[in-house]
């Protein structure tokens, strides 16, 4: 193929391409103009619809705004009405206050006017009284001058004579008043003392138990009794040597008696026997071991008892040695009365009585608890010293206050009483110990004394009945009215009192009352 042909072909292709491009552009332009026309038409319709929607929304918003405005307006009107109502009420209250203040002002004006009138009247009366006073003074002076002329004495001389006479009269009246006051004070003091003691005893009433000097150890069978005795009595001898307690084995079934005046030793022996019987091994070596362990146990129990007692009574700061002595009181007795129980009772009595008298109740309790610690001596040499002095020495040694030491030493009059606490301890100790049933020896003598009192009365002619009352402080004698006259009743009372005074020994005093009664009886049918 030649060059021209190729050129024609290439030219034809290029021309075709150009024509195709032109045709395509023209077609695309027509299509684009159509699309634009459609878009314009659609936009016009959208704008119209938007305008319609905007008008609708606008109308809705306007309606909502109007409704909101109406609601706000109604609320605002309510608020305004409420404020108007409150303002009206406030104005009314203000008017009422103004009216009330106006009334008060009127009353005040009237009161001021009345007060001014009274002041004027008072001033007038004062002036009148001043004038009268001057006139009275002038008349008084005139009368004094006349009296001086009549009596031939000056006013000073008359005054001195009057004062002297009044002095003598006042002295006489004062002496009589003092005598009456002293008598009344004695009577009142005696009554108050009795009242305090009786109230104290009633408030601290406790049961009393009399301790014995023996203990009974119960056993299950006679076979156990034989094992306790041992071969040829060696076990009993070992127990007695280790504890210091006498063991009595007799025909009493299922019982062994432990006898000793020392309650601590007796308790050690009882507990040791109980442990030996429970363990089953009973021989001299084992006995000594058990007794030593039991002694340590009892020693610890003594300390615990002392601590509990001190805590129960509310006593603080007591020396450990004194606490130990208090615990040892549990295993001591005085005339059959347990010493710890007696000391606790005395402490409570002292506390109540001290409180009634306005003294320190804690100090009184302390002295009451410790007053008999001298009865639990720690060595044989201490036995020779009176227990009150020994207790005082121990209290001083362990730092107790002088008041407490003096009360302990003086409660049996071994030393002089220097404080009010000492007689309280003495009285409370006597109350606790002398109570019927508290001590074996006191109970027996108490019953015998009452019987002797009644027998003295029955020894006189004409006595029908006799009663010893008030713990033997009063004897009431009922006589036969046919045999004893009124005059004879008076002399009989004196004779009985004299016989009691000469023939009997008794604490305090005994009042003898003779009662003679005459009855005239008739029966109406």
């Amino acid at each position: 193929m030649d060059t021209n042909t190729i050129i024609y072909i290439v030219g034809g292709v290029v021309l075709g391409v150009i024509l195709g491009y032109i045709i395509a552009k023209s077609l695309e332009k027509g299509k684009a103009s159509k699309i634009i026309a459609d878009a314009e038409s659609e936009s016009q319709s959208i704008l119209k619809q938007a305008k319609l929607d905007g008008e609708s929304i606008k109308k809705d918003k306007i309606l909502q705004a109007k409704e909101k405005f109406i609601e706000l307006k109604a609320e605002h009107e309510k608020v305004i009405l409420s404020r108007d109502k409150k303002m009206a009420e406030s104005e009314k209250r203000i008017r009422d206050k103004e009216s009330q203040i106006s009334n008060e002002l009127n009353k005040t004006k009237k009161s001021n006017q009345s007060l001014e009138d009274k002041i004027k009247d008072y001033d007038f009366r004062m002036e009148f009284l001043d004038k009268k006073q001057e006139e009275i003074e002038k008349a008084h002076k005139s009368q004094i001058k006349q009296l001086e002329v009549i009596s031939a004495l000056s006013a000073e001389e008359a005054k001195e004579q009057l004062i002297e006479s009044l002095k003598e009269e006042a002295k006489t009246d004062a002496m009589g008043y003092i005598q009456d006051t002293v008598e009344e004070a004695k009577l009142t003091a005696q009554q108050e003392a009795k009242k305090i003691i009786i109230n104290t005893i009633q408030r601290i009433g406790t049961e009393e138990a009399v301790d014995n000097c023996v203990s009974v150890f119960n056993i299950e069978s006679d076979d156990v009794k034989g094992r306790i005795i041992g071969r040829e009595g060696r076990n009993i001898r070992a127990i007695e040597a280790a504890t210091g307690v006498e063991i009595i084995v007799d025909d009493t079934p299922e019982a062994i008696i432990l006898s000793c005046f020392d309650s601590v030793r007796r308790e050690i022996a009882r507990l040791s026997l109980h442990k030996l019987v429970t363990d089953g091994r009973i021989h001299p070596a084992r006995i000594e071991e058990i007794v030593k362990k039991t002694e340590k146990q009892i020693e610890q129990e003594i300390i615990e008892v002392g601590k509990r007692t001190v805590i129960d009574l509310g006593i603080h700061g007591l020396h450990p040695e004194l606490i130990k002595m208090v615990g040892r009181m549990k295993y001591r007795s005085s005339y059959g009365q347990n010493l710890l129980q007696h000391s606790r009772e005395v402490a409570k009595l002292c506390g109540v009585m001290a409180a009634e008298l306005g003294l320190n109740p804690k100090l009184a309790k302390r002295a009451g608890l410790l007053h008999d610690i001298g009865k639990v001596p720690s060595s044989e040499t201490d036995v020779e010293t009176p227990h009150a002095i020994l207790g005082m020495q121990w209290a001083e040694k362990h730092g107790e206050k002088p008041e407490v030491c003096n009360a302990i030493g003086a409660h049996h009059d071994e030393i002089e009483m220097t404080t009010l606490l000492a007689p309280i301890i003495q009285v409370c100790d006597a109350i606790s110990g002398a109570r019927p049933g508290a001590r074996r020896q006191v109970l027996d003598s108490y019953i015998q004394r009452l019987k002797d009192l009644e027998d003295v009365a029955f020894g006189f002619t004409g006595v029908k009945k006799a009663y010893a009352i008030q713990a033997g402080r009063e004897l009431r004698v009922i006589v036969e009215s046919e045999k004893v006259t009124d005059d004879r009743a008076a002399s009989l009372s004196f004779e009985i009192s004299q016989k009691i005074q000469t023939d009997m020994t008794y604490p305090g005093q005994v009042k003898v009352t003779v009662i003679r009664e005459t009855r005239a009886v008739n029966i109406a049918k």
Side-chain angles (χ1 to χ4, degrees):
M1 185 175 293
D2 57 4
T3 307
N4 292 328
T5 305
I6 295 168
I7 293 169
Y8 290 145
I9 292 170
V10 170
V13 171
V14 170
L15 182 62
V17 170
I18 292 169
L19 288 174
Y21 177 76
I22 292 170
I23 292 169
K25 282 292 182 181
S26 63
L27 290 173
E28 184 179 354
K29 186 177 180 181
K31 188 175 179 180
S33 61
K34 186 178 179 182
I35 291 170
I36 290 168
D38 292 338
E40 288 179 354
S41 148
E42 187 176 355
S43 64
Q44 289 295 327
S45 64
I46 289 171
L47 287 173
K48 288 181 181 178
Q49 185 66 35
K51 286 181 180 180
L52 292 174
D53 292 341
E55 290 294 329
S56 174
I57 292 169
K58 183 179 179 181
K59 288 180 182 179
D60 291 338
K61 291 295 182 183
I62 290 170
L63 288 173
Q64 289 178 4
K66 286 182 179 180
E67 290 176 355
K68 188 67 175 178
F69 175 75
I70 292 168
E71 290 178 0
L72 292 173
K73 184 178 179 183
E75 291 179 359
H76 182 65
E77 288 177 352
K78 287 181 180 178
V79 172
I80 291 172
L81 288 172
S82 175
R83 288 181 180 176
D84 292 342
K85 185 177 180 182
K86 289 180 179 178
M87 288 177 66
E89 291 176 353
S90 299
E91 289 175 356
K92 183 180 179 183
R93 286 197 298 270
I94 290 169
R95 286 195 298 272
D96 294 339
K97 289 287 184 182
E98 289 176 350
S99 175
Q100 185 177 357
I101 290 169
S102 177
N103 293 332
E104 292 292 335
L105 288 173
N106 291 331
K107 290 181 180 178
T108 304
K109 287 180 181 179
K110 291 179 180 179
S111 298
N112 289 336
Q113 185 64 37
S114 175
L115 183 61
E116 289 176 358
D117 294 340
K118 288 181 179 179
I119 289 171
K120 290 179 181 179
D121 182 61
Y122 175 75
D123 292 338
F124 174 76
R125 289 176 180 270
M126 286 299 294
E127 291 177 0
F128 179 76
L129 289 173
D130 290 340
K131 291 179 181 179
K132 286 291 184 184
Q133 185 67 27
E134 290 177 1
E135 293 177 0
I136 290 170
E137 287 179 357
K138 289 179 181 179
H140 180 63
K141 290 178 181 179
S142 175
Q143 289 177 355
I144 289 174
K145 289 180 180 179
Q146 291 178 5
L147 288 171
E148 288 177 354
V149 172
I150 294 170
S151 62
L153 292 172
S154 65
E156 292 298 327
E157 292 173 348
K159 190 185 294 184
E160 289 177 1
Q161 290 183 2
L162 180 61
I163 289 171
E164 289 298 327
S165 63
L166 289 175
K167 279 184 180 178
E168 293 298 327
E169 185 178 351
K171 283 182 181 178
T172 305
D173 293 342
M175 290 298 292
Y177 176 75
I178 290 171
Q179 187 68 26
D180 294 341
T181 305
V182 169
E183 293 296 330
E184 184 179 356
K186 287 181 180 178
L187 181 61
T188 306
Q190 189 176 7
Q191 290 175 349
E192 287 298 320
K194 289 180 180 179
K195 180 181 176 183
I196 290 172
I197 292 173
I198 290 170
N199 289 340
T200 304
I201 294 171
Q202 287 176 343
R203 289 170 63 182
I204 313 296
T206 58
E207 295 182 358
E208 294 293 343
V210 178
D211 289 345
N212 296 316
C213 294
V214 296
S215 296
V216 178
F217 179 73
N218 296 314
I219 56 178
E220 296 178 357
S221 63
D222 290 338
D223 179 49
V224 177
K225 186 184 293 187
R227 291 167 58 194
I228 292 173
I229 295 171
R231 182 180 298 174
E232 297 178 358
R234 64 174 186 170
N235 290 343
I236 281 188
R237 286 196 298 273
I239 294 172
E240 289 180 345
T243 61
V245 175
E246 183 182 359
I247 299 178
I248 302 171
V249 181
D250 53 14
D251 296 335
T252 306
E254 299 180 357
I256 293 176
I257 297 173
L258 310 176
S259 176
C260 182
F261 287 101
D262 190 334
S263 302
V264 177
R265 294 180 184 176
R266 202 164 65 245
E267 184 66 12
I268 291 172
R270 189 186 68 80
L271 290 176
S272 300
L273 274 176
H274 178 72
K275 290 179 181 179
L276 288 168
V277 170
T278 304
D279 183 50
R281 293 176 293 169
I282 306 176
H283 53 81
R286 181 65 175 168
I287 289 169
E288 290 181 3
E289 180 186 352
I290 292 294
V291 168
K292 288 180 180 179
K293 289 182 180 179
T294 307
E295 286 176 351
K296 292 181 180 179
Q297 179 184 343
I298 291 294
E299 194 70 21
Q300 188 62 34
E301 184 180 348
I302 284 171
I303 295 172
E304 292 298 325
V305 168
K307 288 181 180 179
R308 285 199 303 270
T309 302
V310 169
I311 291 170
D312 291 344
L313 294 174
I315 297 172
H316 305 286
L318 204 62
H319 194 277
E321 284 298 322
L322 294 178
I323 292 176
K324 189 175 178 180
M325 291 176 188
V326 170
R328 290 178 68 85
M329 289 183 187
K330 178 183 177 183
Y331 300 102
R332 291 290 186 274
S333 61
S334 177
Y335 298 103
Q337 185 182 26
N338 183 271
L339 194 57
L340 179 60
Q341 187 175 355
H342 165 67
S343 298
R344 286 174 64 103
E345 184 178 5
V346 171
K348 292 179 181 178
L349 287 167
C350 291
V352 175
M353 197 172 291
E356 291 286 344
L357 296 173
L359 301 177
N360 188 343
K362 291 186 177 180
L363 207 61
K365 279 186 179 181
R366 198 182 192 94
L369 179 64
L370 300 176
H371 81 283
D372 268 349
I373 57 173
K375 289 185 177 180
V376 285
S378 56
S379 63
E380 293 296 330
T381 57
D382 293 336
V383 177
E384 299 176 358
T385 308
H387 77 273
I389 301 298
L390 185 60
M392 180 185 70
Q393 292 172 355
W394 284 347
E396 290 173 348
K397 178 182 177 182
H398 297 301
E400 288 298 316
K401 293 184 178 180
E403 300 95 319
V404 176
C405 297
N406 178 257
I408 294 171
H411 79 276
H412 283 311
D413 295 323
E414 274 89 358
I415 63 172
E416 183 182 356
M417 297 182 181
T418 58
T419 63
L420 286 175
L421 200 60
I424 291 177
I425 304 300
Q426 188 179 49
V427 169
C428 294
D429 179 49
I431 290 171
S432 176
R435 181 179 297 170
R439 297 182 177 180
R440 184 184 296 108
Q441 187 179 24
V442 173
L443 176 61
D444 295 340
S445 62
Y446 168 77
I447 294 172
Q448 185 62 39
R449 182 160 60 87
L450 296 185
K451 187 175 182 303
D452 292 342
L453 273 175
E454 294 175 354
D455 289 342
V456 168
F458 283 121
F460 290 85
T461 306
V463 175
K464 184 179 180 181
K465 293 179 181 178
Y467 301 102
I469 61 174
Q470 293 187 5
R473 290 190 294 273
E474 182 177 354
L475 179 64
R476 290 192 179 175
V477 181
I478 301 174
V479 297
E480 299 177 11
S481 58
E482 297 83 3
K483 297 181 180 179
V484 180
T485 62
D486 289 340
D487 295 336
R488 174 59 185 157
S491 62
L492 182 63
S493 174
F494 176 75
E495 291 173 7
I496 293 174
S497 65
Q498 290 299 308
K499 188 168 181 60
I500 292 172
Q501 188 172 342
T502 55
D503 294 352
M504 294 184 63
T505 302
Y506 52 89
Q509 57 187 12
V510 178
K511 178 183 177 183
V512 179
T513 304
V514 175
I515 301 172
R516 178 180 180 273
E517 183 183 26
T518 303
R519 294 188 183 184
V521 180
N522 288 295
I523 300 172
K525 296 181 180 180

